[in-house]
Amino acid sequence: HPPITPAKAVDPQSIADPTHRKIYTLVVKHYLACCSRDAVGRETEITLRIASEEFAAKGLMILEKNWLDIYQPWEKWYTGQGELPRARIGSRIVPTSLAVSAGQTSPPQLISEVELIALMDRNGIGTDATIAQHITTIMDRNYAE
């Protein structure tokens, strides 16, 4: 359904009550965002080569923010992997900083037998006759509890 339509232009600073000011600002920004163009972006993977090392990053490359510019701070386009700089295939990127972080990998969390059977079934591993043997081997190797 259509958004609430502001009937009169008002300077938000002229609204004395802070709650009323915030509501007015939200209504106006929501209305304008609904009338704006869609945001345009791509989930992208970037591979960087620095000397002989190769680094990969996955994330969102926003090409046009459009309504997102208007509706800040209430809405962000987020894929969970971060925003990447706009780049063309084969272009050169100059990093603004480089950092090396110390750390170590850790094994994935152990899964239960029920979760294991569900994963095996979903991925077509084993048959009714062989699942028990697969699970015994997995349990013997402490891959699952």
Side-chain angles (χ1 to χ4, degrees):
H1 84 57
I4 299 171
T5 304
K8 181 178 179 185
V10 175
D11 178 4
Q13 298 308 315
S14 70
I15 302 171
D17 184 305
T19 302
H20 292 172
R21 185 179 323 118
K22 287 178 183 177
I23 292 170
Y24 176 79
T25 301
L26 174 62
V27 167
V28 169
K29 284 189 172 206
H30 182 75
Y31 176 77
L32 292 173
C34 287
C35 298
S36 299
R37 292 183 176 180
D38 291 341
V40 178
R42 292 193 176 94
E43 281 195 72
T44 306
E45 182 174 341
I46 291 180
T47 304
L48 299 172
R49 253 182 257 121
I50 300 175
S52 62
E53 297 295 327
E54 216 170 77
F55 301 89
K58 289 184 181 181
L60 176 67
M61 188 168 28
I62 297 177
L63 305 174
E64 298 175 31
K65 288 192 172 185
N66 297 327
W67 72 272
L68 291 169
D69 280 333
I70 294 168
Y71 210 53
Q72 289 180 357
W74 297 288
E75 187 67 48
K76 293 180 179 141
W77 193 355
Y78 183 68
T79 62
Q81 296 178 324
E83 188 176 335
L84 296 174
R86 289 181 67 170
R88 294 181 190 269
I89 294 174
S91 64
R92 292 182 175 264
I93 296 174
V94 178
T96 55
S97 67
L98 297 172
V100 177
S101 300
Q104 65 186 59
T105 61
S106 59
Q109 291 185 345
L110 299 177
I111 61 173
S112 69
E113 189 171 342
V114 172
E115 293 170 314
L116 177 60
I117 292 171
L119 283 169
M120 290 172 71
D121 186 48
R122 194 173 323 133
N123 291 290
I125 299 171
T127 64
D128 288 344
T130 62
I131 279 183
Q133 183 56 48
H134 285 301
I135 290 175
T136 301
T137 302
I138 289 168
M139 301 292 274
D140 288 346
R141 294 179 183 172
N142 292 320
Y143 293 153
E145 293 178 334

